[in-house]
Amino acid sequence: GGSINLYSLASEMKKGFATAGTDDGHEGQATDGSWAIGHPEKVKDFGYRAVHETNVKAKKIIGAFYQKPFRYAYFNGCSEGGREALMEAQRFPNDFDGILAGAPAHYWTQLMAAFAWNAQAMNDPASFLSPAKRVALENAAVAACGTQGGVTDKFIEDPVGCHFDPSTLLCKGADSDTCLTAGQVDAIKKIYAGPTDPVSGKQISAGYEPGSEAEPGPPGISTASYIFGAGPGISLDAMFSSSFYGAFVFEDPKWKFTQLNFEKDIVTVDTKVGSILNASNPNLTAFRAHGGKLIQYHGWNDGSPSPLHSVDYYQSVSSKIGGLDKTQDFYRLFMAPGMMHCGLGAGPNNFGNLMDLAAPNDPEHNIFVALQSWVEKDLPPKRIIATKYNGDDPTKGVAMTRPLC
C-alpha cells in the first residue's frame, strides 16, 4: 500500500482488461507505517476496506463508460496483495469471480512476529551471517536435500521432506567463511523454527525453509534482503516489524523491533489489529456459493510470508468446507520449489505469477490464464508448468521446466 502500481495497471490493460488499483487510502514508502499513528480508520482502509470500495466504484465507472456491465471480475495480487486477495474472498465473496492470491501475507500478525524474531536473531554482529557464510549455508542445505526423486537440483524440491541441520557447518577450529560459529548456528535454527512464546513454548508463527540463503534478487524478492540485509538491524524484517509495531500497535515512531516481547506483546497485537489485518478466516462457503474460483501460489523459498502459512490456510479451509474434494471444486494451491517471494529463485519461477517474465499465454503455463479458463470455461487446473530461464532472462533460453502440482 501507499502507491498505485501503474506498471501493473498497464500490463493488465494490454491484455484487454479494464483495470483499477488503489493506494489503500494513504501515501508512503513500502516500509513506512507512520500514516497509521492516530488514524484507526486508515488502518481499516488498509486492512480490508480500500480494495472493496475501489472494486465497487470501478464497476460503476466501467459500466458508465462502456454502457454495458462487466462480464467477469478478477483480482490479482501477491504478498500484501495476496493478503488482500484472501480478504476479498472472506469478507466480500461477491466482489470477484476469480482471485489469484500469490504468497499471501494473510496471517499478518504472525508474519510481523516472524519478522521481529528473525531481526532479533540477526541483530548481534556475532550471530549475523556474512554473504560468504550464506553461500556456505545454502550449499550445505542443497547438498543435503537437493537430490530427491532421483534428480539432483540446485534447489530443494520437497522442503517438507528435508531435515537439514545447520549444526553440520559448526566450525571445528578457527572461524572462516566456510563454517558457522555456535551463535550463528543458533540464530539460523531460530529462523528455520519460527517464533515461539519463551514461557509456554507455544508456536507463534511457522518458520522458514532452507536453500535460498544466498540467492540473488532485488530487494523485496530475495530471502537475503528480508532476513539478512546488509547488516544487523537493517534487514527488511527489521524495517517492516519496527514500522508495523511502532505505528499500528504501540503508536510510537521511535519503537524498534528489539523491544518486542514474545511473551507479553503478541496478545496485545492480536487484540488491537488482528481482526482488521488477518485474512485467516477459513470459511469460504459464501465465495464458493457465488461460484468464485481461487488459485493460490507460494514459493517454497519465500523469505517473507512463510510458505507454510499457505499450506496451513489451505488445510484449514479444507477442514471447514468438508474435505479436499469440495475444496478443489473452487480453490487450489500450487507450491513452487526453489522460488522466493512472488518470483525468482533457483527453481522454475515463471508461470504467470507476479514476476511475469514473458510467461506463455496458455492455461498450462500461465496461472492467471488457468484461472480465467476455470472461471469462464469450467476447466480446473490440474497442474501448472513453471519455467526457469537462463539467468532469469527469457531472451537467454529455457534452462528447465517442471510441473507445479
Side-chain angles (χ1 to χ4, degrees):
S3 64
I4 295 176
N5 190 326
L6 298 180
Y7 174 83
S8 292
L9 286 175
S11 65
E12 297 304 325
M13 289 173 66
K14 286 175 67 178
K15 299 173 187 175
F17 288 96
T19 65
T22 173
D23 60 13
D24 285 355
H26 66 274
E27 295 180 356
Q29 297 298 314
T31 57
D32 175 23
S34 61
W35 53 267
I37 297 176
H39 292 286
E41 293 304 312
K42 286 188 177 184
V43 174
K44 291 178 182 177
D45 287 337
F46 174 78
Y48 58 85
R49 197 160 51 197
V51 172
H52 174 64
E53 288 296 327
T54 300
N55 176 66
V56 171
K57 302 302 188 293
K59 286 175 179 175
K60 290 182 178 180
I61 293 169
I62 291 166
F65 183 85
Y66 289 101
Q67 291 295 296
K68 61 181 179 181
F70 65 94
R71 287 183 295 166
Y72 301 100
Y74 292 96
F75 185 95
N76 184 0
C78 194
S79 191
E80 157 59 19
R83 184 193 69 85
E84 293 174 348
L86 293 185
M87 187 69 83
E88 277 291 313
Q90 294 163 21
R91 283 184 181 252
F92 307 105
N94 297 322
D95 275 3
F96 294 101
D97 303 302
I99 293 177
L100 182 60
H106 59 293
Y107 291 133
W108 183 270
T109 58
Q110 290 186 23
L111 172 62
M112 291 298 155
F115 280 1
W117 176 267
N118 295 345
Q120 288 185 15
M122 285 289 116
N123 195 44
D124 184 348
S127 64
F128 184 79
L129 269 67
S130 67
K133 283 180 178 279
R134 291 174 220 163
V135 171
L137 180 62
E138 180 178 319
N139 287 343
V142 174
C145 301
T147 301
Q148 294 174 312
V151 178
T152 299
D153 291 309
K154 294 181 180 179
F155 59 93
I156 298 172
E157 182 178 300
D158 176 21
V160 174
C162 170
H163 304 288
F164 169 64
D165 183 358
S167 299
T168 58
L169 282 177
L170 183 65
C171 296
K172 303 297 191 293
D175 187 10
S176 74
D177 288 342
T178 60
C179 67
L180 303 181
T181 66
Q184 290 167 340
V185 169
D186 288 344
I188 291 299
K189 283 185 174 181
K190 284 183 177 181
I191 291 166
Y192 290 164
T196 56
D197 184 308
V199 176
S200 69
K202 181 181 178 182
Q203 191 82 30
I204 297 170
S205 174
Y208 295 85
E209 302 300 329
S212 67
E213 292 81 358
E215 285 301 307
I221 297 293
S222 72
T223 304
S225 64
Y226 273 95
I227 293 176
F228 301 107
I234 51 176
S235 64
L236 283 178
D237 283 0
M239 289 185 276
F240 273 122
S241 58
S242 293
S243 191
F244 166 69
Y245 290 109
F248 285 66
V249 183
F250 302 112
E251 302 193 51
D252 174 6
K254 296 181 179 179
W255 193 97
K256 297 298 180 185
F257 68 90
T258 52
Q259 298 172 244
L260 187 68
N261 184 303
F262 289 92
E263 178 194 358
K264 299 177 181 178
D265 292 339
I266 300 303
V267 173
T268 301
V269 175
D270 282 334
T271 300
K272 185 170 183 178
V273 296
S275 63
I276 298 171
L277 301 175
N278 289 337
S280 53
N281 183 356
N283 189 353
L284 298 182
T285 304
F287 180 72
R288 182 173 182 249
H290 166 66
K293 300 294 187 284
L294 169 61
I295 297 180
Q296 187 169 332
Y297 66 87
H298 209 135
W300 270 118
N301 279 135
D302 199 322
S304 185
S306 168
L308 292 173
H309 282 185
S310 279
V311 175
D312 291 345
Y313 180 70
Y314 189 74
Q315 291 175 340
S316 72
V317 172
S318 180
S319 296
K320 185 72 175 181
I321 291 291
L324 190 59
D325 289 341
K326 290 183 178 180
T327 303
Q328 296 232 328
D329 283 347
F330 76 102
Y331 175 24
R332 298 196 175 188
L333 169 65
F334 293 87
M335 301 298 290
M339 189 175 84
M340 296 189 293
H341 187 48
C342 297
L344 300 182
N349 53 43
N350 189 272
F351 48 90
N353 44 314
L354 181 70
M355 302 296 289
D356 187 354
L357 305 172
N361 192 31
D362 68 77
E364 193 170 28
H365 294 83
N366 189 310
I367 199 166
F368 186 79
V369 178
L371 177 65
Q372 285 184 272
S373 294
W374 199 5
V375 169
E376 299 173 25
K377 302 176 183 177
D378 198 26
L379 297 173
K382 296 180 180 178
R383 67 177 191 173
I384 303 291
I385 297 175
T387 300
K388 172 70 174 179
Y389 293 108
N390 291 308
D392 289 319
D393 183 347
T395 66
K396 295 182 179 179
V398 173
M400 71 171 80
T401 61
R402 294 281 177 86
L404 308 182
C405 301

